[in-house]
Amino acid sequence: MSKARLLSGMQPTGVLHLGNLEGALRNWVQLQDQYDSYFCIVDWHALTTLAERTEEIPHNVREVAIDYIAAGLDPEKCAIFVQSHVKEHAELHLLFSMITPLGWLERVPTYKEKRENLQLESVSYGLLGYPVLQAADILVYKAQVVPVGEDQLPHLELTREVARRFNYLYGEVFPEPQALLTPAARVPGLDGRKMSKSYNNAIYLSDDAQTVTQKVKQAFTDPQKVRKNDPGHPEGCVVFALHQIYSKDDAATIETECRAGQRGCVDCKMQLAGNLNTALDPLRQRRQELLAKAGELERILREGAEKARAVAQETMKEVRAAMHLE
Ligand code: TRP
């Protein structure tokens, strides 16, 4: 029996952090064995925020690709590629744009939020069409499974609606893809807010051990715990939240000791930094191996795009035939 096809992707708006690792990449690494998997770096989507700073994109694309591979995506098992290397995404996006009612796009929550934060004049045509491009990313491979976070569910719903409308108008070409939601640990940033590049509170997969230790030392802890022997409140503490992910077996002991005033924040942070570095060491190892081979990353992305393009071209032949375009 052949494996079901899976596609997911991330925008190259910056290098990846622990939130990306725990929220997506670890899951993708598991899934690459079970599915015929395609992992994309969606540089055209990143233009919705980087259109005036496109010189940053090549560096980000490269770093995200390295982060994917360092996290354990294996180019022998899955296709790792850059969206703009497979032009078929753009053609399908254009064709979908003709059958997608404006009303569907204006209702998408991510669009509504961004529009409210921007001046009306700076809202681009491309931003409104963001989910149409995402539908093309998924459907050009006829992917059945799309691992994403909860915030992406409206985009997946729109993808299914576009597939249904295309099939209704031109005949059955596309499957209706399903979101694959996996319960993931929420990783707080060093200041307690969501970990995010724009909050300057992130630990990056590419941080060296010393940087990680330095960042953990600066993390917010329980403000009521001033002296080493003061009883602490782990429920609001970033360091404890990270211990629950990276010091799993010891989390119960850590909690008891903290509440009893038997554990100082400095030691607690040093223990966490050690465990974080242990968790990141295999990624650092794979990163080094990859970068030690000249041209290896470029080869992986080229071969990934070739594999993806072969599938995308087949789909586009069917699409053009269905629409009487050739
Ligand atoms: N919108 C997604 C995000 O911001 C990125 C994305 C683009 C994507 N195309 C995709 C995710 C296709 C899954 C499948 O996270």
Side-chain angles (χ1 to χ4, degrees):
M1 236 185 66
S2 65
K3 294 176 179 171
R5 191 166 294 144
L6 174 150
L7 177 128
S8 198
M10 286 187 203
Q11 295 189 53
T13 43
V15 304
L16 303 185
H17 53 60
L18 290 181
N20 303 119
L21 177 67
E22 305 304 339
L25 288 172
R26 286 216 196 273
N27 184 30
W28 293 5
V29 171
Q30 296 299 312
L31 295 168
Q32 68 180 338
D33 293 309
Q34 287 160 259
Y35 293 96
D36 178 23
S37 299
Y38 292 74
F39 296 107
C40 192
I41 298 164
V42 291
D43 53 346
W44 282 333
H45 277 107
L47 292 173
T48 55
T49 43
L50 291 180
E52 290 170 17
R53 295 180 278 137
T54 55
E55 65 279 7
E56 293 176 22
I57 294 176
H59 170 258
N60 290 348
V61 166
R62 191 182 149 80
E63 291 299 320
V64 171
I66 296 170
D67 285 334
Y68 276 10
I69 295 162
L73 289 185
D74 179 350
E76 300 287 318
K77 296 179 178 171
C78 63
I80 300 171
F81 66 102
V82 180
Q83 182 187 40
S84 67
H85 294 180
V86 184
K87 309 297 181 200
E88 285 72 12
H89 292 229
E91 182 181 357
L92 190 56
H93 167 255
L94 177 115
L95 297 175
F96 282 165
S97 77
M98 304 300 170
I99 63 165
T100 307
L102 271 185
W104 292 4
L105 297 175
E106 284 163 346
R107 278 197 297 274
V108 171
T110 45
Y111 171 71
K112 286 205 284 187
E113 274 163 37
K114 286 197 182 137
R115 191 192 51 198
E116 278 157 24
N117 294 334
L118 290 168
Q119 315 226 357
L120 196 58
E121 218 182 310
S122 62
V123 174
S124 69
Y125 170 57
L127 182 67
L128 182 67
Y130 182 111
V132 183
L133 181 56
Q134 185 163 347
D137 295 339
I138 296 166
L139 293 172
V140 85
Y141 303 103
K142 300 189 181 182
Q144 292 119 304
V145 174
V146 185
V148 281
E150 206 154 344
D151 63 314
Q152 293 296 310
L153 290 181
H155 291 166
L156 251 288
E157 190 50 44
L158 190 108
T159 300
R160 278 196 295 276
E161 282 168 336
V162 170
R164 274 199 290 274
R165 185 154 165 79
F166 185 99
N167 292 345
Y168 166 77
L169 291 169
Y170 310 113
E172 203 67 27
V173 170
F174 295 112
E176 285 184 32
Q178 298 297 318
L180 194 64
L181 281 179
T182 27
R186 193 187 144 273
V187 183
L190 298 166
D191 58 0
R193 292 185 289 175
K194 185 181 150 97
M195 188 174 282
S196 161
K197 183 186 48 121
S198 47
Y199 292 157
N200 202 10
N201 66 359
I203 293 175
Y204 296 104
L205 307 188
S206 47
D207 283 343
D208 61 23
Q210 206 190 337
T211 307
V212 169
T213 305
Q214 214 47 49
K215 285 182 174 180
V216 170
K217 279 188 190 165
Q218 288 157 14
F220 284 23
T221 49
D222 175 3
Q224 293 175 51
K225 185 166 158 61
V226 181
R227 281 179 210 84
K228 187 172 170 182
N229 297 331
D230 290 345
H233 304 82
E235 57 278 3
C237 177
V238 172
V239 174
F240 182 67
L242 293 171
H243 269 307
Q244 285 179 303
I245 307 171
Y246 296 100
S247 317
K248 261 209 184 81
D249 296 343
D250 299 322
T253 316
I254 292 169
E255 179 168 9
T256 315
E257 289 178 0
C258 176
R259 283 192 202 287
Q262 292 165 347
R263 142 179 298 262
C265 292
V266 176
D267 293 340
C268 191
K269 284 176 165 179
M270 290 317 286
Q271 182 186 359
L272 174 65
N275 291 344
L276 265 173
N277 280 322
T278 303
L280 288 175
D281 276 338
L283 282 80
R284 293 175 181 139
Q285 176 79 30
R286 280 190 290 266
R287 171 182 300 268
Q288 273 195 349
E289 283 167 15
L290 175 66
L291 296 178
K293 291 186 222 157
E296 179 72 353
L297 180 65
E298 292 69 25
R299 184 187 66 79
I300 290 168
L301 293 178
R302 188 176 60 246
E303 289 179 4
E306 280 163 13
K307 183 175 171 192
R309 194 178 301 120
V311 178
Q313 284 177 344
E314 283 309 305
T315 305
M316 289 316 296
K317 276 188 207 157
E318 272 183 70
V319 165
R320 292 182 209 116
M323 293 181 76
H324 310 285
L325 292 170
E326 55 177 26

